[in-house]
Amino acid sequence: MDPRFAPIFESYELNNGVRLDNRLVVAPLTIYDAGPDGELTEAARSFWRDRFRGFSMFIMPFTNVAASGIGFESPNAFDPRHLPTLQEYADIAHEQGALSVVQLAHSGLRAMPSMTQGHHPVAPTGDVTGRIRSMTTHEVEEMVASFAYAAELALEAGHDGVEIHGANGWLIQQFFSAATNLRTDSWGGSLEARMRFPLEIVKAIDEVRRRHNRPDFIIGYRFSPEEPGPHGITMAETLALVDAMLEMPLQYLHVSLWDFYKYSRRGADTAVTRMQTLHERIAGRMPLIGVGNLLTAEDIAKAWETGWADLVAVGKSVMLNPNLAELIKTGRTGEIQTRFDWTKAASYRYTPAMLQGTASGTDFFPLDVNRPATFTESELGL
């Protein structure tokens, strides 16, 4: 192995005593594939097979904590009937030697009524059409309990922890943002009130961990640092949230970025990257997972060498390279693919929806080469 990559494979101990084998984390990958009640499908099983072998931790994709929050094909964790699927995800990760962390989430304003199993979609503040209804104060409290119950199911299923998904415009971020939280009760208005929802979720999940006497159960928090628009989240607001989270019983913070090197736009020094700003604010008090378009081994090493991240999450490169960690460790970095190649499509083991997204040029997936003009149903896995 190139000595430059050796530090990435050094172990790391979290503040609850859990040791990670290395600094590489599989970012939560959205594969748009699940059964009618969130079950694993054969296409999903094929995709996950051996994909995070050699990584220290696998963050399971967006997992719904309530039926009212389902927005796309994804796992569920709001009823005991979901335990077998959750257990299978844990087994898949552990068989590959990775810790398994379930990302707990709710779509809020972005829920799809056709998928919410008869429940009316809810959000901090509903939309003008009535398609999404504003939550009552009691419903907000119940939603906090739903996140805690989902964490309990994850614990019972054998997972090593949970990640609270406060990023990417989903429900928790909708509560935090003044652009989407127009409430006038104790769950909205001031910055402190808008922070209350994510903080109460952390406390509720920690209480689950305490009740089960599982200090080793990991709790992480993911966040998006900024939003566009005059009322969107600013870096100043995010830094206030980070300060509050540093006082919480968390094991890590995980920033969501499309580009590791993006600069702050509002509320912080715009000549400094978001990652550096966050790193300096955290000041070593809690590990920060960095992420953002790190496609090659050199990209990962360069990001690590900045010193801004304690752990590095990789997403798109894991999609294209099911054996990414092995390629880095064995010195075969020249084999790492950075663009989807339709002549090698079978090797990626994408789900049908992922293939369709790639075919349509969706930026969520790695850009493709040799893109054909049309595709047959068999080529798309339909």
Side-chain angles (χ1 to χ4, degrees):
M1 178 171 56
D2 187 325
R4 185 180 182 189
F5 306 132
I8 302 168
F9 290 93
E10 294 177 356
S11 64
Y12 184 89
E13 186 172 313
L14 300 175
N15 61 18
N16 64 345
V18 172
R19 181 166 292 277
L20 305 181
D21 288 343
N22 56 55
R23 310 303 182 95
L24 288 174
V25 175
V26 178
L29 303 176
T30 304
I31 65 172
Y32 299 102
D33 188 278
D37 198 23
E39 304 92 341
L40 276 158
T41 65
E42 287 307 313
R45 291 185 182 98
S46 174
F47 178 78
W48 295 123
R49 187 181 72 249
D50 290 335
R51 199 166 291 265
F52 27 91
R53 194 175 295 280
F55 283 79
S56 66
M57 188 164 70
F58 159 61
I59 303 175
M60 188 173 153
F62 190 114
T63 301
N64 303 294
V65 303
S68 62
I70 302 174
F72 56 94
E73 297 81 359
S74 45
N76 294 328
F78 52 82
D79 189 276
R81 69 178 185 269
H82 301 136
L83 276 171
T85 296
L86 292 170
Q87 290 166 345
E88 186 174 358
Y89 268 105
D91 290 344
I92 290 171
H94 293 157
E95 189 278 327
Q96 296 181 47
L99 297 181
S100 180
V101 171
V102 182
Q103 188 183 69
L104 304 180
H106 186 288
S107 296
L109 288 165
R110 295 158 69 186
M112 294 295 293
S114 62
M115 303 185 73
T116 56
Q117 302 182 4
H119 294 262
H120 199 124
V122 293
T125 305
D127 63 9
V128 295
T129 68
R131 187 183 71 90
I132 310 293
R133 179 172 56 75
S134 296
M135 300 167 71
T136 66
T137 300
H138 180 62
E139 285 174 328
V140 177
E141 295 167 350
E142 287 183 325
M143 191 61 69
V144 171
S146 293
F147 274 88
Y149 181 62
E152 189 160 26
L153 289 175
L155 186 153
E156 292 175 359
H159 289 275
D160 302 288
V162 294
E163 177 176 279
I164 302 164
H165 195 0
N168 306 125
W170 304 111
L171 180 74
I172 296 177
Q173 184 172 326
Q174 292 165 24
F175 265 95
F176 182 54
S177 173
T180 46
N181 185 346
L182 308 181
R183 302 178 70 90
T184 56
D185 62 4
S186 61
W187 298 96
S190 68
L191 175 60
E192 291 72 20
R194 287 184 278 115
M195 285 196 294
R196 184 183 172 198
F197 186 66
L199 293 174
E200 289 299 320
I201 289 173
V202 175
K203 294 175 186 176
I205 294 177
D206 181 53
E207 177 55 34
V208 168
R209 175 170 62 179
R210 291 174 181 273
R211 190 169 67 250
H212 285 266
N213 192 27
R214 287 289 306 277
D216 60 313
F217 192 71
I218 298 165
I219 306 176
Y221 186 85
R222 194 178 201 205
F223 62 96
S224 293
E226 293 188 76
E227 288 179 333
H231 303 293
I233 297 168
T234 68
M235 278 300 297
E237 291 176 319
T238 288
L239 293 175
L241 177 65
V242 166
D243 288 343
M245 288 296 172
L246 290 173
E247 301 301 319
M248 293 288 103
L250 293 170
Q251 276 60 67
Y252 69 80
L253 294 171
H254 183 184
V255 62
S256 179
L257 292 170
W258 282 101
D259 186 332
F260 188 89
Y261 301 98
K262 279 291 185 182
Y263 289 87
S264 301
R265 291 184 299 201
R266 296 180 299 160
D269 189 340
T270 56
V272 178
T273 66
R274 293 165 174 167
M275 281 298 307
Q276 182 177 350
T277 298
L278 291 166
H279 166 72
E280 292 175 354
R281 187 60 161 250
I282 294 169
R285 290 174 287 173
M286 189 175 291
L288 174 65
I289 299 179
V291 68
N293 211 33
L294 306 176
L295 298 178
T296 68
E298 290 73 20
D299 291 340
I300 296 170
K302 180 182 175 184
W304 170 256
E305 289 163 358
T306 64
W308 301 336
D310 303 283
L311 303 165
V312 179
V314 188
K316 288 183 178 180
S317 193
V318 174
M319 291 181 180
L320 290 178
N321 302 277
N323 59 339
L324 180 64
E326 177 192 354
L327 292 176
I328 298 173
K329 289 189 79 170
T330 58
R332 295 152 56 202
T333 57
E335 298 177 30
I336 294 175
Q337 299 180 62
T338 60
R339 285 176 171 261
F340 187 102
D341 186 341
W342 282 96
T343 67
K344 302 176 181 178
S347 68
Y348 309 133
R349 306 196 307 270
Y350 274 21
T351 65
M354 294 174 72
L355 288 173
Q356 288 179 312
T358 301
S360 64
T362 304
D363 186 53
F364 181 85
F365 301 108
L367 297 175
D368 61 318
V369 296
N370 303 322
R371 180 181 170 191
T374 60
F375 306 90
T376 66
E377 289 191 351
S378 61
E379 286 173 322
L380 293 175
L382 301 177

